Amino acid sequence: MIQIKNLKKIYQTKKQKVQAVDDVSLTINQGEIFGVIGYSGAGKSTFIRLINRLEEPTSGSIEIHEKEITKMSANELRLKRQKIGMIFQHFNLLWSRTVYDNIAFPLEIAGVAKSEIKEKVMELIHLVGLSGKENNYPSQLSGGQKQRVGIARALANDPEVLLCDEATSALDPETTDDILDLLVSINQKLNLTIILITHEMHVIQKICHRVAVMENGKVVEEGDVLDVFVRPQSKTTKRFVQQLNPLEHQQDKLAEFINDRDDSEVIKLHFIGKNTKRALISEIAKKFDVEVNILQGSISPTQEGSYGTLFIELNGANDVLTKTIEYMKQAGVEVEVLKHA
């Protein structure tokens, strides 16, 4: 478990003080993938560099497995950093070294025997899907392959935590998905805690269990990814969620599809988890004397399950519409009436 309490980082410039991280407190559980998302300048990059003290905090505390990082001496910190892996946006590989030698580098620094290094490096090369590339140099690799080397290198000393600093921002969408799939596989195989910062909501949606949203150095929202996606609270979170499903947040555009009738209701439905597979529209069409006009909808997967949004128009007698809406609520679907009959 990682416990972060009242973490602050203030930079002093000639003209002013800049508070990059402002009183952040988080608990990150063992074995979870925890995402931190924010726009440029939100403080997320500074935050992740504070965790392994690449940046020194101004105040606050960071505990990893009940060991307080912020109180460690330089020598204690050097040893502890071997158990905190980190991967970077621009790979940070040694260009004069082969894939094998890049991965072996942290083991050499740690004083591991050559025979053990070879076994470990080949194991990691296989784990990240680079078998046959061990003698290649970074200049001979694609962006995705370079990041796989970075991941293998970060895993060399069997870390307790893996920090990912915008690890997919320099990659194309297809390669991004491949790297995210690899991180999920590593998380599951090694029960490795992963802290991932990004400005892409797709990344959070695809692999994270929980997420914190940062703005101006503060955490403005935190929770399970599924809850945050379905019920975003802060303006910043709503903007990120809108990136994935723009139409859901442009309800005024539904007007052109809606019948100008007095006996209609426009409903927004949220399906969560197993309910995304339920044939609810078919059920109500058979059970109630209503006409159903599907306006738009989508289903999105997350690590914690799928969620779906569906906009429908119901036409029928008022009492029947009331009963239909109540039936949908009892079915475990979140119902929001946007236009009353």
Side-chain angles (χ1 to χ4, degrees):
M1 179 182 289
I2 300 170
Q3 289 194 311
I4 298 164
K5 297 178 182 177
N6 308 117
L7 192 63
K8 295 183 180 181
K9 177 62 180 180
I10 299 173
Y11 293 102
Q12 180 68 60
T13 67
K14 290 182 179 180
K15 295 183 178 180
Q16 62 180 346
K17 290 182 179 180
V18 178
Q19 187 135 4
V21 174
D22 188 0
D23 199 28
V24 169
S25 296
L26 293 170
T27 298
I28 299 170
N29 300 316
Q30 170 64 35
E32 76 174 340
I33 304 177
F34 190 94
V36 179
I37 191 168
Y39 291 105
S40 295
K44 57 190 187 297
S45 289
T46 302
F47 166 74
I48 203 168
R49 292 169 67 87
L50 289 170
I51 293 176
N52 58 2
R53 279 179 59 187
L54 288 178
E55 294 278 357
E56 288 293 333
T58 302
S59 61
S61 65
I62 302 164
E63 289 186 6
I64 300 178
H65 293 180
E66 300 181 350
K67 298 290 180 66
E68 191 167 340
I69 303 295
T70 38
K71 290 185 177 179
M72 288 183 174
S73 66
N75 189 53
E76 289 173 326
L77 180 60
R78 181 181 62 82
L79 294 173
K80 187 65 175 177
R81 278 181 178 154
Q82 293 178 3
K83 295 299 180 182
I84 305 174
M86 191 164 187
I87 58 176
F88 303 88
Q89 178 179 358
H90 296 296
F91 321 125
N92 286 21
L93 302 181
L94 299 169
W95 297 94
S96 61
R97 283 177 165 247
T98 63
V99 168
Y100 180 99
D101 291 334
N102 265 281
I103 299 169
F105 188 61
L107 295 167
E108 293 169 2
I109 292 174
V112 177
K114 284 189 176 181
S115 59
E116 293 180 37
I117 288 177
K118 183 175 182 179
E119 181 180 352
K120 185 67 175 180
V121 171
M122 296 311 295
E123 175 189 326
L124 289 168
I125 285 173
H126 176 73
L127 177 67
V128 301
L130 288 176
S131 296
K133 300 288 185 182
E134 52 266 27
N135 294 320
N136 286 36
Y137 288 89
S139 60
Q140 298 171 301
L141 303 176
S142 67
Q145 289 170 336
K146 290 172 188 172
Q147 195 57 284
R148 287 172 185 269
V149 178
I151 293 170
R153 180 184 58 188
L155 297 176
N157 281 312
D158 299 317
E160 302 164 338
V161 182
L162 180 62
L163 307 179
C164 303
D165 187 0
E166 295 278 10
T168 60
S169 295
L171 305 175
D172 63 74
E174 185 176 350
T175 306
T176 291
D177 282 344
D178 289 343
I179 294 298
L180 295 178
D181 288 341
L182 175 60
L183 289 174
V184 170
S185 175
I186 289 167
N187 167 257
Q188 293 172 346
K189 289 177 181 177
L190 306 179
N191 192 33
L192 179 64
T193 305
I194 297 176
I195 303 175
L196 181 150
I197 69 162
T198 184
H199 63 274
E200 300 171 297
M201 202 62 172
H202 163 72
V203 173
I204 300 293
Q205 175 196 13
K206 186 173 177 66
I207 73 168
C208 293
H209 302 107
R210 291 194 301 131
V211 61
V213 182
M214 289 190 71
E215 181 182 1
N216 296 326
K218 292 181 175 291
V219 172
V220 295
E221 191 161 350
E222 177 198 352
D224 293 341
V225 167
L226 194 55
D227 288 340
V228 169
F229 270 58
V230 174
R231 307 175 193 87
Q233 300 299 312
S234 74
K235 288 183 179 179
T236 300
T237 311
K238 289 175 182 177
R239 285 174 65 193
F240 276 119
V241 173
Q242 185 178 345
Q243 292 175 4
L244 297 174
N245 189 4
L247 288 176
E248 182 178 339
H249 301 271
Q250 298 174 14
Q251 295 172 12
D252 55 316
K253 293 189 176 181
L254 294 174
E256 60 185 282
F257 301 107
I258 298 172
N259 294 315
D260 187 18
R261 294 170 49 169
D262 294 332
D263 61 343
S264 70
E265 301 258 13
V266 177
I267 311 291
K268 178 181 177 181
L269 304 175
H270 267 311
F271 300 81
I272 302 174
K274 63 182 180 181
N275 282 325
T276 57
K277 298 180 180 179
R278 183 168 181 174
L280 184 63
I281 302 305
S282 178
E283 289 178 32
I284 63 174
K286 293 176 182 176
K287 192 173 182 67
F288 299 98
D289 185 19
V290 292
E291 296 176 4
V292 182
N293 179 22
I294 297 175
L295 304 176
Q296 67 180 39
S298 65
I299 294 178
S300 301
T302 74
Q303 282 286 17
E304 300 301 298
S306 297
Y307 73 97
T309 303
L310 184 66
F311 291 87
I312 62 172
E313 180 186 24
L314 297 178
N315 300 308
N318 282 353
D319 61 330
V320 178
L321 293 178
T322 300
K323 291 178 182 178
T324 304
I325 291 169
E326 186 59 32
Y327 178 83
M328 290 189 290
K329 289 179 179 179
Q330 291 178 358
V333 176
E334 293 188 15
V335 179
E336 180 182 351
V337 179
L338 303 178
K339 172 183 172 289
H340 281 285

